Amino acid sequence: MKYSFSKARLYLATDSLDWMINYSIKQSLSLQDATPIVSGHSSIPERPIETLYIHIPFCHTLCRFCSFHKVKYQETLAREYFQALRQEIREVIDRGYRFNRVYIGGGTTTILEDELIKTIELIKSLTTIREVSCESDPIYFSEGNPELLNGLVDRMSIGVQSFDDVILKSTGRFEKFGSGLQQAEYVSRAIELFPTVNVDMMYGFKVQTVDSVTQDLRQTMALNPDQITTYPLTIGIGKNRKKAGCLAGEPHELWPQFLAVKQALSERYVMEFPWTFSRNFGQPVQNKYVLDGEDCLGVGSGAFGRFGEQFRISSFDIADYTRLIEQTLSGTCYVKSLGNNALNQHHLMIMMGHGHLDNQVFKAHTGRSLWQALPLEMSFLLASGAVVKRGDNYHTTEQGQFIALKMFTGFLSGMDYLREQARELPLTSMRTA
């Protein structure tokens, strides 16, 4: 097959980018130099940390391509975990940490409604956060009591991934959550209950085509969710690569599928990032998807936090986590220093996603211009046609939007790599006993 020069150049650029991202992840996100934290505490920032991330690591069944920290649900263990989790949250707030928003992820966050409600109510009684976001699987809106979370959760993000029964069966989600039509009914119920509903969709599966991606998103839009997040299947670079890779299609098929996503959603949704879209009808969306390089503190087993130039890692062993809470009131057990280059690359990814590389904004964050901080990256972006110069700044082209998307999936791969290593770190609770 013959490609136009621009398409051939794009494929060469993205193939090179994949290699560079994988190399960079292994260099900058290795946990070989992670340092144990005996006390679990560190200095408290003067300004509020943007997000408190809470991890709930329990699922009834485990999805084939998911690399997040999770274990099979056991009620006794889960209730003990929630009790320890609330102890950690109370301690974090008592020590003076402040947050603007809360994001609850998993696992299956709604696996014990009463415990989740107690946890959110505790946070709201102790803080003045502006927003609570919560992830959920689709079937919760059939088998659970989501009305109990009304007034507590501002933004509900539902992991559908696809309404195509072929894909649902190939990923094991058909048996777990039901058919695409059934899941559409569940999403409709959620939209009636919560101020903001996001639907997570994926593409890049082996059985997908441009037409099937378009059809999937048309079915999503017919439900009128406030937001649609859509990104390629993340393969990763570690052990998860083989498991997720068997589901993935040809990498070069992602470009036409990305164009199909943009085209399908452009009728009723505005692209905020190449991976997230908000509706352009009705009242403005209040609780938006946020990934703007903001600081984050993680609590709960399997949580990450990043503020300043450090990653903070909570124990990935639930028994170890609960022992740490008993001993130190903190589940954080390791810290990993981040180099300036990794932080600058993350900021570049966000600016690429926004579509505008502003030298003054970048310099305000880093103390250096784009070319001073990232000469190789900027050369690559210009040579690949990903950005065009306008005055002192740069704008992202359509090809650049796709490259930003690839950078984002690289970021997700980096998180997979961190999780894989974190599971192997020595337990720290014994050191504080």
Side-chain angles (χ1 to χ4, degrees), residues 50-51 100-103 130-134 154-157 195-200 225-229 269-273 275-292 294 354:
E50 179 62 23
T51 302
N100 293 324
R101 60 199 295 270
V102 171
Y103 191 99
R130 67 170 185 261
E131 173 188 330
V132 174
S133 291
C134 188
D154 304 292
R155 179 180 181 273
M156 184 65 75
S157 184
T196 302
V197 170
N198 169 75
V199 178
D200 264 348
D226 304 284
Q227 299 168 332
I228 300 173
T229 303
Y269 287 78
V270 175
M271 187 178 78
E272 297 186 355
F273 292 96
W275 52 87
T276 188
F277 299 75
S278 290
R279 56 175 170 74
N280 62 9
F281 53 90
Q283 295 296 316
V285 177
Q286 297 297 322
N287 307 298
K288 296 188 176 183
Y289 181 93
V290 175
L291 181 69
D292 217 348
E294 76 276 4
H354 274 307

Side-chain angles (χ1 to χ4, degrees), residues 115-156:
E115 297 287 356
L116 179 62
I117 289 168
K118 288 179 188 176
T119 304
I120 298 173
E121 288 178 338
L122 172 68
I123 295 168
K124 291 201 167 190
S125 73
L126 299 174
T127 69
T128 56
I129 53 168
R130 67 170 185 261
E131 173 188 330
V132 174
S133 291
C134 188
E135 295 177 356
S136 178
D137 59 40
I139 205 167
Y140 171 65
F141 300 95
S142 171
E143 298 180 349
N145 299 290
E147 64 276 0
L148 297 178
L149 296 175
N150 187 273
L152 293 174
V153 173
D154 304 292
R155 179 180 181 273
M156 184 65 75

Side-chain angles (χ1 to χ4, degrees), residues 45-117:
E46 293 181 6
R47 296 194 305 175
I49 296 173
E50 179 62 23
T51 302
L52 173 65
Y53 175 77
I54 300 171
H55 193 74
I56 312 298
F58 299 99
C59 288
H60 289 293
T61 58
L62 308 181
C63 292
R64 295 171 190 171
F65 58 81
C66 176
S67 67
F68 283 82
H69 173 49
K70 73 275 184 191
V71 298
K72 288 293 287 292
Y73 171 69
Q74 300 174 38
E75 183 175 349
T76 300
L77 179 64
R79 291 196 182 279
E80 291 174 355
Y81 174 81
F82 269 101
Q83 184 174 350
L85 177 66
R86 286 193 292 273
Q87 283 184 275
E88 182 177 25
I89 292 169
R90 187 183 292 277
E91 171 66 8
V92 162
I93 295 170
D94 285 349
R95 292 194 70 239
Y97 286 96
R98 295 294 178 263
F99 309 95
N100 293 324
R101 60 199 295 270
V102 171
Y103 191 99
I104 306 170
T108 304
T109 63
T110 54
I111 205 157
L112 280 171
E113 288 169 331
D114 59 333
E115 297 287 356
L116 179 62
I117 289 168

Side-chain angles (χ1 to χ4, degrees), residues 152-433:
L152 293 174
V153 173
D154 304 292
R155 179 180 181 273
M156 184 65 75
S157 184
I158 306 171
V160 173
Q161 318 312 347
S162 177
F163 290 106
D164 186 330
D165 287 349
V166 174
I167 294 172
L168 293 174
K169 289 176 181 178
S170 71
T171 57
R173 294 176 66 86
F174 187 95
E175 299 88 343
K176 186 176 181 181
F177 301 129
S179 69
L181 287 175
Q182 288 174 309
Q183 294 189 49
E185 292 177 6
Y186 306 155
V187 172
S188 293
R189 185 180 182 199
I191 291 171
E192 293 174 357
L193 288 172
F194 296 98
T196 302
V197 170
N198 169 75
V199 178
D200 264 348
M201 302 295 288
M202 294 176 69
Y203 57 98
F205 290 100
K206 189 179 297 183
V207 296
Q208 276 181 314
T209 65
V210 166
D211 288 342
S212 67
V213 169
T214 299
Q215 180 57 35
D216 224 354
L217 291 176
R218 283 178 178 162
Q219 189 165 355
T220 310
M221 287 192 295
L223 300 171
N224 294 327
D226 304 284
Q227 299 168 332
I228 300 173
T229 303
T230 177
Y231 46 86
L233 171 67
T234 302
I235 298 176
I237 64 173
K239 295 177 183 177
N240 192 52
R241 185 175 184 87
K242 183 176 181 181
K243 182 172 63 172
C246 67
L247 298 171
E250 166 61 38
H252 288 173
E253 293 175 357
L254 292 178
W255 166 243
Q257 290 180 8
F258 168 67
L259 294 179
V261 168
K262 282 189 62 181
Q263 178 64 32
L265 295 179
S266 65
E267 300 173 13
R268 307 187 70 213
Y269 287 78
V270 175
M271 187 178 78
E272 297 186 355
F273 292 96
W275 52 87
T276 188
F277 299 75
S278 290
R279 56 175 170 74
N280 62 9
F281 53 90
Q283 295 296 316
V285 177
Q286 297 297 322
N287 307 298
K288 296 188 176 183
Y289 181 93
V290 175
L291 181 69
D292 217 348
E294 76 276 4
D295 289 345
C296 170
L297 177 70
V299 295
S301 177
F304 289 127
R306 184 192 72 78
F307 50 91
E309 298 178 355
Q310 291 184 335
F311 258 121
R312 290 161 55 90
I313 303 161
S314 296
S315 177
F316 273 62
D317 181 278
I318 293 177
D320 183 54
Y321 169 77
T322 55
R323 284 195 297 268
L324 282 168
I325 298 304
E326 291 173 0
Q327 296 162 6
T328 70
L329 296 177
S330 174
T332 303
C333 56
Y334 282 90
V335 63
K336 153 77 179 176
S337 295
L338 291 171
N340 284 332
N341 199 55
L343 294 170
N344 291 342
Q345 288 174 342
H346 183 80
H347 191 55
L348 176 67
M349 175 192 77
I350 297 301
M351 296 180 82
M352 287 282 293
H354 274 307
H356 182 63
L357 281 62
D358 188 306
N359 254 310
Q360 293 302 315
V361 172
F362 187 85
K363 196 167 185 176
H365 277 265
T366 68
R368 307 173 74 189
S369 71
L370 286 160
W371 278 96
Q372 288 172 334
L374 300 166
L376 292 178
E377 290 84 346
M378 290 301 297
S379 297
F380 168 81
L381 293 174
L382 279 171
S384 64
V387 298
V388 292
K389 196 171 189 303
R390 293 185 184 173
D392 293 332
N393 303 316
Y394 299 84
H395 285 259
T396 310
T397 64
E398 188 166 60
Q399 292 89 341
Q401 293 169 357
F402 181 63
I403 285 177
L405 177 69
K406 296 284 283 185
M407 293 166 71
F408 178 66
T409 58
F411 167 77
L412 298 179
S413 293
M415 296 302 99
D416 283 353
Y417 185 58
L418 281 174
R419 282 189 286 269
E420 184 175 304
Q421 296 174 87
R423 292 185 181 99
E424 305 300 323
L425 290 172
L427 304 185
T428 58
S429 65
M430 302 304 182
R431 302 185 186 187
T432 60

